[in-house]
């Protein structure tokens, strides 16, 4: 006589289902696109809402602190652990030098003006603003793709840092473009194009550097970190200080702390 089964099949709602995990290539593209879309969102806020310059400066100072924390713990530390000290130092210094050199070319060529007279509107052209955003955004998003190579994982802290730092850049630049008479189609077409380039940059970081040895990947990650730190010191903190003065340091520290908490939780 057959022995009756003691267990019963679990109900349908308790049965496990396969979890769909996006491929690293798709994840890199989504991370880069999200980073670029932060510029578009900032542009939309600035276009439709009158935001005080002081508020934009506070967000910029907070974003600077977030970026400093992210590049310290998620880029430089990771690059040193995976590829060694020498490639990391070489990449870090090279990134800073290349960023400063390109930034000077843009500024002296009249494409990008970071230093405005107090109380005046920005005078950068649309092309200059686009070039400046790309100069900042390409290393930030490319490193997101690099972090996914070799079975790695996307750094949530870096992604959050880039998104937060791009938001005030889109706001500030769009206010200048609007005051110069640019149309909404021009402004949002410009930032949407930059968002697409950011996605392609992250894709390129993953696809082109997937087979590079660890030392090379460490160099690239440190290169991005050096370029980002140079950008923070040259653009974000001075711009924020012009409006927020003594609050800049405190808000930057708060951004650093927030990013460090995200790093620890992630």
């Amino acid at each position: 006589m057959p022995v009756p089964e003691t267990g019963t099949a679990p109900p349908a709602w308790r049965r496990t289902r396969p979890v769909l995990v996006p491929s690293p290539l798709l994840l890199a593209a989504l991370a880069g696109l999200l980073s670029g879309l932060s510029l578009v969102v900032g542009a939309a806020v600035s276009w439709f809402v009158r935001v005080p310059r002081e508020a934009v400066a506070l967000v910029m100072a907070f974003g600077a602190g977030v970026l400093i924390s992210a590049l310290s713990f998620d880029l430089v530390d990771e690059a040193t652990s995976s590829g060694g000290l020498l490639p990391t130092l070489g990449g870090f210094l090279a990134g800073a030098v290349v960023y400063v050199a390109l930034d000077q070319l843009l500024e002296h060529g009249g494409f990008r003006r970071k230093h405005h007279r107090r109380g005046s509107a920005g005078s950068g052209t649309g092309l200059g603003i686009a070039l400046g955003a790309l100069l900042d955004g390409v290393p930030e998003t490319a490193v997101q793709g690099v972090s996914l190579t070799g079975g790695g994982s996307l750094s949530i802290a870096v992604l959050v840092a880039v998104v937060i730092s791009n938001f005030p850049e889109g706001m500030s630049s769009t206010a200048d473009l609007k005051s110069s008479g640019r149309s909404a189609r021009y402004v949002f077409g410009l930032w949407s194009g930059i968002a697409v380039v950011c996605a392609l940059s992250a894709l390129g970081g993953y696809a082109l550097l997937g087979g590079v040895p660890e030392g090379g990947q460490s160099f690239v990650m440190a290169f991005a970190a050096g370029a980002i730190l140079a950008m923070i010191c040259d653009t974000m903190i001075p711009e924020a200080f012009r409006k927020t003065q003594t609050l800049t340091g405190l808000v930057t520290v708060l951004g650093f702390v927030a990013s460090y908490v995200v790093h620890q939780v992630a």
Side-chain angles (χ1 to χ4, degrees):
M1 183 176 179
V3 179
E5 296 182 0
T6 56
T8 58
W13 62 272
R14 293 186 60 185
R15 295 172 190 167
T16 58
R17 296 180 181 178
V19 179
L20 297 178
V21 179
S23 67
L25 193 65
L26 178 60
L27 193 58
L30 290 175
L33 184 61
L34 181 60
S35 300
L37 285 178
S38 179
L39 292 165
V40 181
V41 174
V45 171
S46 181
W47 187 269
F48 296 107
V49 181
R50 186 177 180 86
V51 181
R53 291 280 182 169
E54 290 76 10
V56 178
L58 286 174
V59 177
M60 191 172 295
F62 186 85
V66 171
L67 278 176
I68 292 172
S69 176
L71 70 87
S72 300
F73 298 107
D74 291 87
L75 295 183
V76 176
D77 185 61
E78 177 64 26
T80 305
S81 300
S82 61
L85 180 61
L86 290 180
T88 302
L89 291 178
F92 193 77
L93 293 174
V97 170
V98 169
Y99 177 87
V100 171
L102 292 177
D103 190 62
Q104 288 299 306
L105 285 176
L106 290 179
E107 188 170 358
H108 289 297
F111 293 114
R112 186 186 191 188
R113 296 184 182 179
K114 302 187 299 298
H115 309 295
H116 312 311
R117 291 182 179 178
R118 185 180 301 272
S120 65
S123 56
T125 65
L127 176 61
I129 294 170
L131 290 174
L134 287 176
L135 182 60
D136 300 342
V138 167
E140 293 173 345
T141 51
V143 77
Q144 295 172 3
V146 173
S147 66
L148 289 166
T149 59
S153 59
L154 179 67
S155 172
I156 301 300
V158 172
L159 177 59
V160 170
V162 174
V163 168
I164 292 177
S165 64
N166 280 348
F167 182 75
E169 182 177 2
M171 292 176 65
S172 178
S173 299
T174 299
D176 294 341
L177 286 169
K178 186 178 180 180
S179 65
S180 66
R182 294 293 185 177
S183 66
R185 176 179 296 182
Y186 177 90
V187 171
F188 290 105
L190 178 69
W191 292 118
S192 298
I194 293 174
V196 172
V197 172
C198 287
L200 294 176
S201 174
L203 276 175
Y206 176 81
L208 300 178
L209 299 170
V212 175
E214 287 188 346
Q217 293 186 11
S218 296
F219 182 91
V220 173
M221 294 178 69
F223 184 95
I228 293 170
L229 184 58
M231 179 269 294
I232 292 170
C233 297
D234 190 47
T235 302
M236 294 184 71
I237 291 179
E239 198 70 29
F241 185 80
R242 268 190 285 274
K243 293 295 181 182
T244 60
Q245 298 294 318
T246 55
L247 282 177
T248 304
L250 177 60
V251 175
T252 302
V253 169
L254 290 176
F256 184 97
V257 171
S259 180
Y260 182 69
V261 170
V262 172
H263 169 79
Q264 292 297 315
V265 173

